[in-house]
Amino acid sequence: MAARAASGAVSRRLWQGLGNLSTSNSKSSTTKNAVFLLSTGVKWAQFSHLHIDFPKEVTKPAITVSDEPDTLYKRLSILVKAHDKAVLDSYEFFAVLAAKELGISIKVHEPPRKIERLTLLKSVHIFKKHRVQYEMRTLYRCLELERLTGCTANVYLEYIQRNLPEGVAMEVTKTQLQPLPEHIREPIWEKEVKDKEESKA
Amino acid sequence: ATERTPRNERQMRRKALPPRTEKMAVDQDWASVYPVAAPFKPSAVPLPVRMGYPVKKGVPLAKEGNLELLKIPNFLHLTPVAIKRHCEALKDFCTEWPAALDSDEKCEKHFPIEIDTADYISSGPSVRNPKARVVTLRVKLSSLNLDDHAKKKLIKLVGERYCKATDELTLRTDRCPLRRQNYDYAVYLLTVLFHESWKTEDWEKSKTRADMDEHVWENSSSEKNLLRTLGRIWATEEGTEASPGHLLGTEEAAQYRECVMHLKNQGEDDAALARYKDAVKRLLHVA
């Protein structure tokens, strides 16, 4: 209360000061007034650090092409969990449209919802017969994408995840395809026998 | 006198301007009004939205100063036009799926190993999720270079991780703290299993008939019985000793062998028993 009264008094004095200044400088008066109007209510201790931020030059990310082979994903399964069906519906519409635009085959199904209920005592002390019940509803939506390359998967997932709404969780399961590694083609015992014979001879 | 707003400020306060919605054209670029996820601004959204539980004989509350509209996440920045524009910009970073791998069989043939990994995103005090380090490696044994003995040994080594119905080996690794380490460990496990199954230890040579997984025809009691019966028939008919190779080489003997193997390995069935009956009849020239 005292601090507020004090700051009020300070602001009035500063306002009178600025009022005097405004008659003298016409160019900087508008910015000073704007600054003052912005900071009414803010504690005056931080007044000296106020500045207006100008946006920096944004460079677009460059498309790089590398020689290493792209990873292949047979299936990408995205499970989205939320408390609200309307939010899930909107998000599903967004994800499906994004996939169609990027040329990815997508299928959507809705796993059944899960409700977690708990019963607590209504009162702080005694009154065992009077309880209150809460529940937490988790609704699911499963998006299944088939046959993606690593680059497309990364792009799509980043786009989806950056636009994930508040209070919504996601689990992504990736099934990656890989060739047989070199060392599983042939058993090494024959090579070892050959090497031993060569070293002996 | 202390007032809520001092008289000077009340005089200097600007009048509230009309909301921006009145100046909006019908065909404006909505993506520039809501370029990113932003809270719901009733003065910037020209829709007559109402939300809230109404009082008796009332309507839901209007959008001005409506907390329910602020609480719920809005998708005003993701209109179909905006999504299409974003995707146009993102298309340059995508690559195409190779056209040669359009069916599952081709994928299986060229890329027999499948690696399953999971990522988890949720809001909470921590970004990390301990379930994210699990790696599952699945491979079909038919695509590995294994002979009969190696395949049986591998199945015995692996135990529950092999599914006979789909002929698939599943290795689920969880023991390392990082996903990359778990993946390396899974590949190492597969390599070790493969090479160990090709090895034949000394004690494997002392495998008895009771240890065998399937019924083996050679030196079995069924073979001996067959030879003895056919030998006796031959001796009574021809009067000379018959060679076992000659007796077993006939078509009826081969068919009998197939039926007996099927009954012992795959279990008894009405059709299988009927086939066995036919084979025996043909063998004894009774049918």
Side-chain angles (χ1 to χ4, degrees), chain B residues 211-225:
Chain B
D211 296 321
M212 299 282 182
D213 305 307
E214 303 171 320
H215 183 255
V216 173
W217 176 257
E218 286 75 32
N219 285 333
S220 72
S221 52
S222 326
E223 195 196 23
K224 286 180 195 148
N225 282 338

Side-chain angles (χ1 to χ4, degrees), chain A residues 149 152 159 172 176 178 189, chain B residues 86 95 115 119 121 183 195:
Chain A
T149 52
T152 314
Y159 183 49
V172 180
Q176 195 187 20
Q178 283 219 336
W189 312 123
Chain B
H86 296 154
T95 47
I115 315 266
D119 289 307
I121 301 142
Y183 166 71
H195 291 298

Side-chain angles (χ1 to χ4, degrees), chain A residues 76-81 91 114 138 140-143 157 160-161 164 168-174, chain B residues 117-122 129 131:
Chain A
L76 219 76
S77 176
I78 305 174
L79 181 71
V80 190
K81 308 197 281 190
Y91 190 71
K114 285 194 191 144
T138 312
Y140 299 96
R141 210 51 75 98
C142 190
L143 315 164
L157 280 175
I160 292 283
Q161 286 164 10
L164 197 68
V168 175
M170 189 199 271
E171 291 174 14
V172 180
T173 316
K174 301 178 189 167
Chain B
T117 43
D119 289 307
Y120 299 88
I121 301 142
S122 62
N129 192 317
K131 290 194 277 186

Side-chain angles (χ1 to χ4, degrees), chain B residues 130-144:
Chain B
K131 290 194 277 186
R133 61 168 202 262
V134 173
V135 170
T136 308
L137 188 141
R138 280 180 294 130
V139 68
K140 281 212 164 44
L141 291 188
S142 48
S143 48
L144 293 174

Side-chain angles (χ1 to χ4, degrees), chain A residues 70 74 84 101 147-149 152 159 161 166 169-172 174-176 178 183-185 188-189, chain B residues 72-73 86 91 95-97 102 104 113-121 145 183 191 194-195 199:
Chain A
D70 208 356
K74 187 174 175 185
D84 204 334
E101 287 294 313
R147 302 214 187 106
L148 299 171
T149 52
T152 314
Y159 183 49
Q161 286 164 10
E166 314 62 61
M170 189 199 271
E171 291 174 14
V172 180
K174 301 178 189 167
T175 308
Q176 195 187 20
Q178 283 219 336
H183 34 271
I184 303 187
R185 296 285 162 82
I188 47 167
W189 312 123
Chain B
I72 198 84
H86 296 154
K91 263 202 182 114
T95 47
E96 268 193 24
W97 180 260
D102 45 354
D104 278 337
I113 297 186
E114 283 175 20
I115 315 266
D116 292 335
T117 43
D119 289 307
Y120 299 88
I121 301 142
N145 178 20
Y183 166 71
T191 318
F194 177 78
H195 291 298
K199 250 204 250 177

